[in-house]
Amino acid sequence: MRTVYLYHLLYLLLLVAHLCSVSSWKREEFRNCNQTPFCKRARSRKPGSCSLIAADVAIADGDLIAKLIPKNPPLEEQEPIKPLILSLSVYQDGILRLKIDEDPSLDPPKKRFEVADVIVPEFLDKKLWLQRFSKETIDGDSEDSSVVYLSDGFEVVLRHDPFEVYVREKGGKRVVSLNSHGLFDFEQLRVKKEGEDWEERFKGNTDTRPYGPQSISFDVSFYGADFVYGIPEHATSLALKATRGPGVEESEPYRLFNLDVFEYIHDSPFGIYGSIPFMIAHGKARGTSGFFWLNAAEMQIDVLGSGWNAESSISLPSDQNRIDTLWMSEAGVVDAFFFVGPGPKDVVRQYISVTGAPALPQLFSTAYHQCRWNYRDEVDVEMLFPNPEEMQKKLAAKGRHMVTIVDPHMKRDESNHLHKEASNKGYYVKDATGKDFDGWCWPGSSSYPDMLNPEIKSWWAEKFSYENYIGSTPSLYIWNDMNEPSVFNGPELTMPRDALHYGSVEHRELHNAYGYYFHMATADGLVKRGDGKDRPFVLSRAFFSGSQRYGAVWTGDNTADWDHLRVSVPMILTLGLTGMTFSGADVGGYFGNPEPELLVRWYQVGAYYPFFRGHAHQDTKRREPWLFGERNTDLMREAIHVRYTLLPYFYTLFREANMSGIPVVRPLWMEFPADEATFSNDEAFMVGKSLLVQGVYTERAKKVSVYLPGRQSWYDLRTGTIYKGGVTHKLEVSEESIPAFQRAGTIIPRKYRFRRSSTQMVNDPYTLVIALNNSQAAEGELYIDDGKSFEFEQGAYIHRRFVFSVGKLTSLNIAPSAPGNSQFSSNCVVERIILLGHSPGPKNALIEPANRKAEIELGPLHLRGGNSPDVVTIRRPNVGIADDWTIKIL
Amino acid sequence: MKMKIQHVSFLAFMFCIVSIGGSASTPSKSQLEGIAPGDEKYYKASPDTIKCKDGSKKFTKSQLNDDFCDCLDGTDEPGTSACPNGKFYCRNAGHVPLSLYSSRVNDGICDCCDGSDEYDGKEGVTLRKREVEAAKLAVVKEESELSKLKNEEKILKGLVQQLKERKEQIEKSEEKERLVKEKEEKEKKEAEEANVEKSNFVEEANSQEGKLAESTNEEKIEILENSQSDQDVIQDYDDSVGEIAHFHNSGNGGSLNSSAEQENGDYADRAAKTEEESSVTYETGRDHGTEVLPDHGTELEKYASGNTESLSREELGRLVASRWTGENTGQQTGGVDAANDDDHESHEERPKDVQDEEYQGYDSETEDDSQRDDDDTKDLVEDFGDEDHGDSSSPYKSESDDELDLSEKTTSNPSWLEKIQRTVRNILEVVNLFQTPVNTSEAAHVLKEYDESSAKLSEILSRISRLTKKLKHDFGPEKEFYSFYNKCFESKQNKYVYKICPFKQASQEEGHSTTRLGNWEKFGDSYRVMQFSNGDTCWNGPDRSLKVKLRCGLKNEVTDVEEPSRCEYEALLSTPALCLEEKLMQLQDKLDLMKKEQPQSHDEL
């Protein structure tokens, strides 16, 4: 079997390649915290510096509102400090929203930017209208605190003096709090004083800062927490390391600032392509909680190591582990969400209810993508396919799809029709002087459409119609690159912060969401192109909270070394935790040439990434999986084939994510939240709740330690060997595979037949692999739909649950009884049922209601050649995948 | 279970069609699907069980090709996709046999020229759905075209009528003028006769008349020229409309690729250019040297040291871009064109073996064994072939198709009619009929416009009648036979070539002589039969007739023609139009019947 069926997508970047040595990451090109005035200021503040108290507490429009005013009135010669407006809203499912902004009635110089189009409209309908609040005097306080209901078991406390907001279990322990350390600071917009210089200069760039300082910072504490996670995108560990505190080396905070970073390093708090300001805390004692700050300006977050505040006089309840964090942003408002959990999946669901569920991808896009910058040049391509439509048709005829790059920068050239149109209509982002911003990117002098403007967004979307995008066909999908945005001659390789957007919004206020709006407009374009009937596939490099609704992301320009393979796992796990489940890293590493062993190992791990793509920089040697000799080709084919056999399972998981936000690929602790040994494990990961995968991240590894959590056993995916749970196993590994296990008590639907692309697998029969637990029971699910349209939203899908117990397998319908007005049917059958952990002996199984028998024999666990152990197999039960039936072992 | 039986027996049915003889033996014909002829011995050798070739296991004969993988090496499933490591022997009737990976069996893509790798009919169902969708769209389009044409007809008729009236008026006044002239001449003549003796005068008068005639000729030439340029205007107008459309399109397409201008050329060229030019823009300012020029180094240093003010904005942009591209920025001022030229040069200079290696890397899509490569090359050739010739049964477009294309051209331009209207209006306003003598150039203009408009009108009328005729046809309950309208299917049986043109006629050709087997009558047997009747009369017998039985298949293909009773012909046409899931079931029943009725149905005529 050669691998032609494996290549599903062909990416073509029509660029010309050259060889030259490359330099590596240039730390000095990017601002560190000390060079960033708002960050330096916030970091240098001492606990208790905040002197604000909450006053005029009341209920209005279903919210608890208050004014934040200074405790001591200012001295006469000082300028009076204007009050801030605080409001607390409560939403279903234990979500607290806290907003703090300047008082609009006091005519601030400018309205601060609130990030648009991230919160889904459905969320606002879930608001609980508060009717009343109660007062309570907390021990030792001179002033009252106000308490409101949050959900059954939780309440919100607004402490008046000093001002503090926290969520606690009813009458009991704290969960998440804000300003407990008195670090809250809100720089209000004001008129420039005489002689004052607001400009900031960095590396020859001047930020005019016409509105002056406007930063916000505050501390957030998570109680009963052992670790904090989230706030991508950083190339770092899953459990976030402390950035300050005793024993912590001088470190930068975790930075959230979307940047096109050349050759990012594998372990750094430095901000790269995307930003999701959402943090999750988890601990054995309390469970899980979360905090999300909806703010798209540059953000810096410190994780404070225990003892960081030794000199502080503030004491907090010390009966539970606590993690303190410091959040700093250059601009915007406080619009923050507290999630109470209590389980990991609850927190993710709560976050998703605010920012929207991940889109259900087309089936084809969950298979393998083959990509390269570039294939080698248009001469190659033109020799074979003199026109792009022809090429796409040929690919489509074999069920394959193509993805092309569409970037935001537009070449400033009068002969460029689109540029002319955009500049005539005034659709570009403006520079500080009001002219079209002109920056340098691939085509040279370029401008950038202002995607904040809904009119421009829809104009952009129209450009993807078949008529407008010449040479596009229905099998063509899109990749948005460079949308941080990348500006080669801009400060820190991006757009100046004083550039101006629609509604006089400064770029500094929305920077982290620019790529998000661009991604959104492109995905909308593909939906329009298909008359609302074809799910879009748009891969984006930049992202923000909510990007999960529009497509996939990948971790950008990584490097072909073992460290980058290793860090790809925590990076993808972190993205999954924060909603962006459809994510992956470039298999093989973008820069550099992987040794065949590294490449094979990367395919073995990458086959489990939700977004599975091989990609390489133009200067690298060709590295398609078939170029490394027969043995390596076999190994990579095997890895890719594992993914294809698991596509029904993956697709079911994508649907689960689409319903609940629970990521396809999850940290172990999400499935085993009480098992402390899993909390900082980011070498292994779960695919759904049934598979555990352990990467091999070192050269010539002979043995690997794998911790298998839980009380149940685990079955090796290749050998069927059973391993005990709750133990670390030292396993021998061969080049053939990385350790992967099916959890006892689960059923995984698979498709064993080889095809040249996933499109051809649609009608293929299923194999059910049942891994029995120690009570000889198991269960699993399968979701099927047409794989491409939106009909599933009208109920056109099949959703089955398989339950095995007492020697009988039952297939149950778990789709809602009246799911909608559309239907989906499948004639696919189950050709094979494998029973792991069942003793051999039975010869027959009885199928009901058909009342016929199927043979039971010892058959191969997998069909991919080489050695396969024999396992108990029900041969050709051929029951309909969509039907109700039972199969009883006789 | 049910499904499987259906598969296997349907397979047997296909065998009937492709006329492969053989007696029913064990293992049966269908069970030997996918086995190379030389290998059949292996499977027939032992009476009950067969060994997996790798020696790992044994399997029973009933497990041969039962669509379940028993041997990891695929021995037991040569004819299905059940074993990942299997090979399928494709007979490739009429061609060189092939060995296919079993992953390609029934995957919905035809890999064997004879289609034998796609026997389960599922793909047919998909093809049919596609066909039905396309047909529905096409019918809607044609219906709207028809109503548009009728509308145009109405307007045009009015115009032609007006022009006709005007033309008649012109003719009338010309007639009047002629009479006046005649009268004048007559009077002149009489006068001449009266002055016959003044002969010198007469000569002078004659020469003057000659001049007059000359000047009339000149005028005529001018009219001709005018009409010529009028046509030019129309022509230009059409062209420019096309041009605008193209520019609009390519401009946008290009822009999405950050591309620039497009040049003239056909559509395909433009599309290709879009890509090409996008690459040009990407290449902007890059250079190909692999050495770092000294000033490049200096820039890097400057940049690293924070001393970027000395770099221009553009230099800085190029410098940063060069990190990804690995190019030096020594020639910042080099324009797009220069960079582009460099590229082409460097391609030419690339060592040939490097290129070859890359091509292989690219087009092999995967496969490194040569058989595979052949396979794909074949794919390419085949695919191109398909574009050119359509199905292998080579249905060709009937003559009427060209006409349709032609007339579509005249009507597709929305502004065409408006233009005529405008022209006519202008003419009617400008031409002053009551001016005598009649301005000959204006009169010619009217005449020309009249002729053209009536020609167009008759074109529209004939298009209307063709469309009406076409749309009157019954294309099946879901219009699944719509695409048959312009197709003919051919099958060669010995010396005869049978040509079946649905909705039109069927014939049998032998050399240069053609016998009509019938004219289109209707569909019969719930759209499972096409009937042609009233063909050429048989000597001493009935008129010839033809029944075409329809079967589900992946291609439109006439697979068999017989003459079961004298002058009553029967043909078998396989087509995706019949690939309905329920029909697959019915086929099952039919198959059973056929088995009983005609155990040796494959004999040639």
Side-chain angles (χ1 to χ4, degrees), chain B residues 163 166-167 170 427 431 442-450:
Chain B
L163 282 168
R166 191 52 56 100
K167 183 187 141 218
I170 289 172
I427 287 174
V431 178
E442 282 163 0
H445 204 155
V446 170
L447 284 179
K448 189 185 126 255
E449 220 34 70
Y450 171 74

Side-chain angles (χ1 to χ4, degrees), chain A residues 786 789-798 815-825:
Chain A
D786 66 14
S789 79
F790 289 102
E791 286 292 298
F792 71 97
E793 291 176 349
Q794 314 305 320
Y797 61 84
I798 294 166
S817 53
N821 43 25
S822 194
Q823 302 242 314
F824 175 75
S825 64

Side-chain angles (χ1 to χ4, degrees), chain B residues 382-393:
Chain B
E382 216 179 42
D383 289 353
F384 280 124
D386 280 358
E387 307 284 306
D388 291 340
H389 317 299
D391 294 341
S392 61
S393 60

Side-chain angles (χ1 to χ4, degrees), chain A residues 614-633:
Chain A
H615 184 38
H617 183 269
Q618 58 176 353
D619 290 346
T620 60
K621 291 185 195 136
R622 292 299 289 262
R623 62 160 89 134
E624 284 68 23
W626 56 90
L627 296 176
F628 297 86
E630 202 177 326
R631 177 62 182 159
N632 288 314
T633 301

Side-chain angles (χ1 to χ4, degrees), chain A residues 365-380:
Chain A
S365 65
T366 68
Y368 178 60
H369 302 231
Q370 176 63 45
C371 181
R372 184 177 172 83
W373 180 35
N374 69 61
Y375 259 109
R376 161 133 184 151
D377 49 38
E378 71 271 31
V379 180
D380 263 16

Side-chain angles (χ1 to χ4, degrees), chain B residues 2 5 100 139 142 160 185 231 265 311 376 386 411 492 502 512 535 571 582 584 602:
Chain B
K2 214 168 164 191
I5 292 169
L100 292 181
V139 169
E142 284 179 340
V160 168
E185 276 176 18
Q231 274 181 346
L311 289 177
D376 263 24
D386 280 358
T411 53
K492 197 164 185 289
H512 292 293
E582 61 268 34
L584 285 176
H602 329 294

Side-chain angles (χ1 to χ4, degrees), chain A residues 1-5 7 10 12 14-16 18-20 22 26 28-29 203-205 260 262 373 375-380 382-391 394 397-398 400 405-407 409 411 413 415-418 421 440 442-443 460 463-464 467-470 488-489 493 557 591 617-619 622 626-627 752-756 760 763 827 831-832 852 855 857-858 860 862-866 868 873 875-876 878, chain B residues 1 3-4 57 63 66-70 72 81-82 84-86 101-107 109 111 122 247-253 255-261 267-268 271-272 274-276 279 281-284 286-290 292 303-306 308-309 313-314 316-318 320-321 323-327 336 343-344 347 350 358-369 372 376 379-380 383-384 387 581:
Chain A
M1 296 305 303
R2 295 302 166 206
T3 50
V4 75
Y5 49 86
Y7 302 103
L10 177 64
L12 294 167
L14 301 169
L15 304 171
V16 179
H18 310 285
L19 291 165
C20 187
V22 285
K26 296 200 170 40
E28 71 283 352
E29 275 176 21
K203 291 261 156 196
N205 289 287
D260 181 4
F262 180 71
W373 180 35
Y375 259 109
R376 161 133 184 151
D377 49 38
E378 71 271 31
V379 180
D380 263 16
E382 275 186 0
M383 288 280 288
L384 272 174
F385 307 106
N387 82 62
E389 274 176 279
E390 192 63 32
M391 172 164 64
K394 281 182 190 305
K398 299 277 190 285
R400 298 188 178 104
I405 279 200
V406 175
D407 291 348
H409 50 259
K411 184 179 167 72
D413 180 336
S415 61
N416 177 352
H417 173 91
L418 197 72
E421 196 184 342
W440 195 272
W442 296 122
W460 179 256
K463 302 302 173 199
F464 291 91
E467 303 79 62
N468 286 338
Y469 193 0
I470 293 290
F488 291 156
N489 59 357
L493 260 74
D557 299 351
F591 291 115
H617 183 269
Q618 58 176 353
D619 290 346
R622 292 299 289 262
W626 56 90
L627 296 176
Y752 270 12
R753 300 196 177 195
F754 275 36
R755 295 297 188 187
R756 61 193 127 184
Q760 277 86 51
N763 294 317
N827 289 327
E831 65 170 341
R832 178 188 293 103
R852 55 188 171 81
E855 281 173 55
E857 60 174 26
L858 286 179
H862 56 80
L863 306 175
R864 297 184 301 272
S868 172
T873 303
R875 193 179 188 282
R876 300 182 72 220
N878 288 7
Chain B
M1 210 56 200
M3 287 285 295
K4 276 323 58 126
K57 266 179 114 166
Q63 291 178 345
D66 70 343
D67 204 25
F68 186 88
C69 188
D70 294 293
L72 287 180
S81 61
N85 300 311
Y101 292 90
S102 57
S103 65
R104 303 190 167 190
V105 175
N106 284 333
D107 69 346
I109 297 168
D111 294 289
K122 277 182 195 155
F247 270 111
H248 181 68
N249 287 341
S250 53
N252 282 333
S255 60
L256 283 170
N257 286 304
S258 345
S259 173
E261 73 274 273
Y267 186 86
T274 309
E275 301 263 341
E276 193 180 327
S279 72
T281 59
Y282 272 66
E283 288 156 20
T284 304
R286 294 192 203 158
D287 188 32
H288 300 276
T290 50
V292 178
Y303 192 56
S305 62
T308 47
E309 275 104 321
R313 307 284 300 159
E314 183 176 332
L316 179 60
R318 287 181 194 280
V320 171
R323 288 182 193 155
W324 278 270
T325 61
E327 290 157 41
V336 174
D343 283 345
H344 288 299
H347 287 310
R350 261 196 292 146
E358 281 160 6
Y359 283 131
Q360 210 174 15
Y362 177 71
D363 72 11
S364 66
E365 270 184 298
T366 54
E367 9 210 330
D368 40 359
D369 87 25
R372 267 295 162 114
D376 263 24
D379 276 1
L380 281 180
D383 289 353
F384 280 124
E387 307 284 306
E581 272 151 77

